[in-house]
Amino acid sequence: MTALARWCLRRRIVVIVLWLAAFAGVAVAAGVTGAAYSNNYEVPGTESGQASARMAKAFPDRSGDSDTLVWHTDSGTVRSAAVKKTMRHTLEKIAGLPGVSEVQGPYGRHDDGPGARQISKDGHTAYASVLFDRRTDDLDVDRVQKVVDTAQAASRPGLQVELGGAGIALTEAPRAQLAEIIGLCAAAVVLFLAFGSLAATFLPIITALAAVGTASAGITLLSHAMTVADFAPMLGMLIGLGVGIDYALFIVTRHRKGLREGLPVDEAATRAVAVSGRAVVFAGATVCIALLGMLILRLSFLNGVALAASLTVVLTVAAAVTLLPALLGLIGMRALSRRERRRLAEHGPRPERPTGIAARWSGFVERHPKLLGTTAAAVMLALALPAFGLHLGTSDQGNNPATSTTRKAYDLLAGDGRGSGFGPGSNGPLTLVGTLDGAKDRIAFDALPERLRDTPGVARVSRPVFDGSHGTGVITVVPTSSPQSRQTSDLVERLRTEVLPEAGGAATLRVQVGGITASYDDFASVIVGKLPLFIGVVIALGSVLLLLAFRSIGIPLKAALMNVAAVASSFGIVVAVFQWGWGSELLGLGSAGPIEPFLPVIMVSVLFGLSMDYQVFLVSRMYEEWQLTHNNRRAVRVGLAETSRVINSAAVIMIAVFGAFVLSGDRIIAMFGIGLAAAVALDAFVLRTLLVPALMHLLGGANWWLPSWLDRWLPRISIEPPPEPGAVRLPAPQDGEKPLVRA
């Protein structure tokens, strides 16, 4: 690290130019190729995945995205001449737009024809199916927007026109730029209050932006090589800005300390990277290991997310140890405020001792470890209680903000249950795909709708539709409950295990349940089944790293326990806001609903990595003091006093960045934002500055115990470099201890 820092300082202009060239090159390549994001939840081998593959093969003309246009009248009916004229003209215009392959409306030659089923019983609501010529992931957003504009142009007093569906949702893009700007502004304020120097304030932000910008363009290129979810770039931005600013903060803080102690600029920067840079690399490695743990789930949807987020973290670490020292060399003494520079010139360098609130708090924790530890544990347990009621499922457009057209279309289709609309199940019908082999199978499949109508939880059943060879049949089943409801999941299970196996009788008929609702259930089932293995692997890998770094059994065990506590408590807050709906509408995040099934996996990865960051920065300083004095009380007190301020400043920055993404308008990103902000707040202000030091005081020398046989076999990893020859540190003596001098 020392050699790298010196090289970057000597060739600071070259380093800056290389970073600019890398960003420009990747950005241009991403702009030329475009994005190829995919939200494909289907898991190969599951029943819904097999049904989807069978449908695509038998009915290739139906492989495009299908969305819904809904209109509603307050007075009169949708069969009135004026409404018919307006909507027929609108549907004809939409059918002629580029990218639209077909529009199926309710107005046919006869009012009792097939289209009559697209008009509600009370006659106030009707819908049309808009079929695009491409799958959702391949749709051109501008073409979809023209469909939305054309449809909504038909709205007038007394006639409401809304649109819903996966394709239409593309036009309701999250406000990522607004969230990013607000987060950066909040981070800048915190940095300026911490540093007092405008130049030093912008260094962490510039470093993070360079890394995140390059990573975002790189994720766009990655989407062409593998399945990458459309929220992956925003998730990468969220993580990258948080850890990127924090990593740079730790190095800049150490650099400023060196300047105040009288070191030349280049020497202070070199020492900062050599010392804090090691911890940054180690912390970044733990985050990447936790994120890459998702690969063991072997789900293509999550593989892309894991690699995209890991790429962002790798680039933030690289920027912190290369671009940042170059910038530090460029601004020179301006890393200090004017007052600090004036004081240094007048009074010369002075050794720094922990004073103020940090030192007093550290002493307070030392005097009352039992009381404070019990209080912190009670707070974490209380916040974690809602997590025991966690309901994993996929939210639908009924959870969108009430002002969005997709939410309005959802509500119009669902109706109020008294003749208005078509029932909540119309927003997520099930698709039954039958594999037919001979006349007996076709007869049994023809008779299946009658059997399905008597099944509890089924509202409507369509007539069978066959492909040209009559080898595949399709039946659409509309549940009585909404797509995200537990009752709908129970219906899927009932159809698969009871109704359909019995329907075949003596025939060889095989029917699979597919559709978006069934695919979500299968996806959640696969994740839940592999979640214990995933969590176990992430905890084990993180514990091994800490074991190697701190030569202790107790440190990694406490870290694992603290990480689990942070995850559980943050999930409790996520459940309260999003599943119970506490304040979700006020925040513009839509109504209450289930928690996305992939959220636990991604949040566990990110939170374990971030929690390990604070553990490393806190305990590494304690470990350094323990090696020097072998006095546990002193090691814990000095370590907490010297690191709590920078940890708390870093936490405030992360909370600001993560919290700002609640304003993105995207429910999934808002879940990540609130969950991560809550976890960081609890981790920094409850766990690392309260519960962890309290436990370490209570355990005493047992914190650092390691069996001698294990100590001989373990390889040695050093986070902090050895002190340079001639370096002197003068810690303040406390509690009757003799002053210690390190030479």
Side-chain angles (χ1 to χ4, degrees):
M1 294 299 295
T2 301
L4 176 64
R6 287 173 177 165
W7 189 90
C8 292
L9 282 162
R10 286 197 303 268
R11 297 168 176 81
R12 59 195 65 166
I13 301 300
V14 174
V15 172
I16 295 172
V17 170
L18 286 176
W19 269 99
L20 289 174
F23 170 72
V26 179
V28 169
V32 171
T33 60
Y37 301 119
S38 173
N39 288 341
N40 185 7
Y41 290 87
E42 293 177 0
V43 182
T46 60
E47 185 168 325
S48 59
Q50 293 172 355
S52 176
R54 183 83 186 180
M55 272 282 294
K57 183 177 180 181
F59 301 94
D61 56 328
R62 295 190 180 186
S63 60
D65 177 81
S66 180
D67 295 85
T68 306
L69 190 156
V70 191
W71 57 99
H72 175 80
T73 58
D74 296 324
S75 59
T77 71
V78 294
R79 292 188 175 93
S80 68
V83 174
K84 271 189 176 182
K85 180 179 179 181
T86 299
M87 295 313 302
R88 273 179 171 166
H89 178 65
T90 300
L91 296 179
E92 288 173 0
K93 287 178 65 176
I94 292 175
L97 291 175
V100 177
S101 62
E102 186 181 2
V103 176
Q104 299 172 349
Y107 301 130
R109 293 184 177 181
H110 306 286
D111 287 343
D112 59 349
R117 292 192 294 271
Q118 295 174 248
I119 298 177
S120 62
K121 291 181 180 179
D122 64 0
H124 287 291
T125 308
Y127 74 89
S129 297
V130 180
L131 186 66
F132 289 95
D133 58 2
R134 298 181 182 182
R135 293 170 58 91
T136 305
D137 298 330
D138 301 323
L139 284 176
D140 185 336
V141 178
D142 293 334
R143 290 185 173 184
V144 179
Q145 186 62 54
K146 288 181 180 179
V147 172
V148 174
D149 295 340
T150 303
Q152 293 189 333
S155 295
R156 62 171 189 250
L159 177 61
Q160 180 183 3
V161 182
E162 307 293 347
L163 299 97
I168 302 301
L170 297 175
T171 63
E172 298 175 337
R175 299 181 294 274
Q177 292 181 341
L178 174 63
E180 182 182 354
I181 292 171
I182 293 175
L184 289 175
C185 290
V189 171
V190 176
L191 288 170
F192 185 74
L193 292 176
F195 293 153
S197 164
L198 201 59
T201 294
F202 284 108
L203 286 188
I205 295 176
I206 293 172
T207 305
L209 284 178
V212 169
T214 306
S216 182
I219 294 171
T220 301
L221 297 177
L222 184 66
S223 67
H224 292 277
M226 62 189 306
T227 301
V228 178
D230 62 358
F231 64 81
M234 197 181 300
L235 177 64
M237 185 186 304
L238 185 149
I239 297 171
L241 288 177
V243 301
I245 294 175
D246 271 15
Y247 291 166
L249 168 66
F250 290 125
I251 293 176
V252 172
T253 300
R254 180 74 70 144
H255 173 70
R256 284 165 42 82
K257 181 181 178 182
L259 292 179
R260 289 194 297 269
E261 291 177 350
L263 295 177
V265 172
D266 283 9
E267 187 177 346
T270 300
R271 187 63 180 161
V273 174
V275 176
S276 295
R278 289 186 179 215
V280 164
V281 172
F282 188 87
T286 61
V287 176
C288 289
I289 288 173
L291 288 169
L292 294 176
M294 284 189 275
L295 297 179
I296 68 172
L297 297 175
R298 303 181 70 179
L299 296 172
S300 60
F301 179 81
L302 292 178
N303 290 348
V305 175
L307 290 177
S310 298
L311 173 64
T312 306
V313 175
V314 168
L315 287 177
T316 58
V317 171
V321 297
T322 58
L323 178 60
L324 183 57
L327 294 174
L328 288 173
L330 198 64
I331 67 170
M333 293 298 294
R334 283 175 295 171
L336 298 178
S337 66
R338 290 182 180 179
R339 185 173 59 180
E340 289 173 320
R341 296 198 299 269
R342 185 167 57 250
R343 185 185 304 158
L344 184 64
E346 293 175 356
H347 303 289
R350 294 182 178 182
E352 294 191 7
R353 299 182 175 90
T355 58
I357 296 177
R360 291 194 295 271
W361 174 256
S362 181
F364 183 70
V365 174
E366 181 184 7
R367 292 190 298 272
H368 307 284
K370 291 183 180 179
L371 174 63
L372 296 176
T374 303
T375 302
V379 170
M380 299 299 290
L381 179 61
L383 292 174
L385 288 177
F388 289 100
L390 177 67
H391 170 212
L392 292 181
T394 303
S395 57
D396 51 41
Q397 294 183 344
N399 299 113
N400 288 358
T403 56
S404 64
T405 186
T406 50
R407 168 71 179 275
K408 292 175 182 177
Y410 183 100
D411 292 341
L412 289 176
L413 280 175
D416 57 11
R418 297 191 299 271
S420 173
F422 304 88
S426 59
N427 286 291
L430 305 176
T431 304
L432 274 55
V433 183
T435 302
L436 315 177
D437 185 15
K440 284 186 178 181
D441 287 358
R442 286 191 286 272
I443 292 172
F445 196 76
D446 267 326
L448 187 56
E450 290 300 324
R451 189 183 190 94
L452 291 170
R453 289 188 182 98
D454 298 330
T455 302
V458 173
R460 297 189 305 278
V461 183
S462 72
R463 298 172 183 173
V465 177
F466 301 95
D467 66 342
S469 64
H470 278 67
T472 302
V474 176
I475 295 174
T476 301
V477 175
V478 178
T480 57
S481 50
S482 66
Q484 62 181 254
S485 170
R486 292 181 188 267
Q487 287 85 349
T488 304
S489 298
D490 292 341
L491 174 61
V492 172
E493 184 67 18
R494 192 181 308 119
L495 290 174
R496 287 174 171 175
T497 58
E498 300 175 14
V499 178
L500 296 178
E502 297 173 1
T508 59
L509 175 66
R510 186 164 59 93
V511 182
Q512 296 168 316
V513 181
I516 190 168
T517 304
S519 67
Y520 287 162
D521 285 349
D522 289 343
F523 183 73
S525 178
V526 170
I527 285 184
V528 170
K530 296 182 177 181
L531 197 56
L533 171 64
F534 166 73
I535 294 177
V537 169
V538 171
I539 291 177
L541 290 175
S543 298
V544 168
L545 282 176
L546 291 180
L547 175 65
L548 295 175
F550 299 118
R551 324 293 295 180
S552 162
I553 297 292
I555 296 299
L557 289 179
K558 283 197 296 292
L561 182 62
M562 296 302 105
N563 291 347
V564 170
V567 169
S569 299
S570 63
F571 262 103
I573 295 173
V574 169
V575 168
V577 174
F578 292 94
Q579 187 175 314
W580 296 355
W582 289 6
S584 59
E585 288 284 10
L586 292 176
L587 293 172
L589 303 176
S591 61
I595 305 302
E596 301 294 331
F598 54 81
L599 190 79
V601 174
I602 299 177
M603 278 193 60
V604 164
S605 298
V606 177
L607 291 181
F608 266 74
L610 297 181
S611 296
M612 207 69 76
D613 283 1
Y614 291 142
Q615 183 78 359
V616 168
F617 288 116
L618 174 65
V619 179
S620 62
R621 182 64 189 92
M622 294 179 180
Y623 183 57
E624 181 186 9
E625 195 70 24
W626 166 258
Q627 288 184 309
L628 175 67
T629 67
H630 283 278
N631 184 323
N632 181 73
R633 291 180 59 193
R634 179 180 182 79
V636 176
R637 182 180 65 245
V638 172
L640 178 60
E642 292 190 3
T643 61
S644 60
R645 181 179 178 183
V646 68
I647 286 177
N648 292 338
S649 298
V652 170
I653 291 171
M654 273 200 182
I655 293 167
V657 172
F658 293 157
F661 277 81
V662 175
L663 304 175
S664 67
D666 185 276
R667 179 181 174 86
I668 294 175
I669 292 298
M671 282 187 185
F672 285 122
I674 288 180
L676 293 176
V680 169
L682 294 171
D683 197 307
F685 300 118
V686 180
L687 294 180
R688 306 301 163 190
T689 58
L690 183 54
L691 186 54
V692 168
L695 286 175
M696 295 189 74
H697 277 302
L698 292 173
L699 291 174
N703 287 304
W704 315 103
W705 176 77
L706 183 70
S708 56
W709 62 268
L710 186 57
D711 186 43
R712 289 193 300 269
W713 284 97
L714 286 178
R716 295 189 176 273
I717 297 178
S718 175
I719 296 178
E720 295 277 353
E724 294 183 349
V728 178
R729 188 167 72 52
L730 298 173
Q734 296 186 31
D735 300 340
E737 297 173 354
K738 295 180 179 180
L740 296 169
V741 177
R742 175 188 290 180

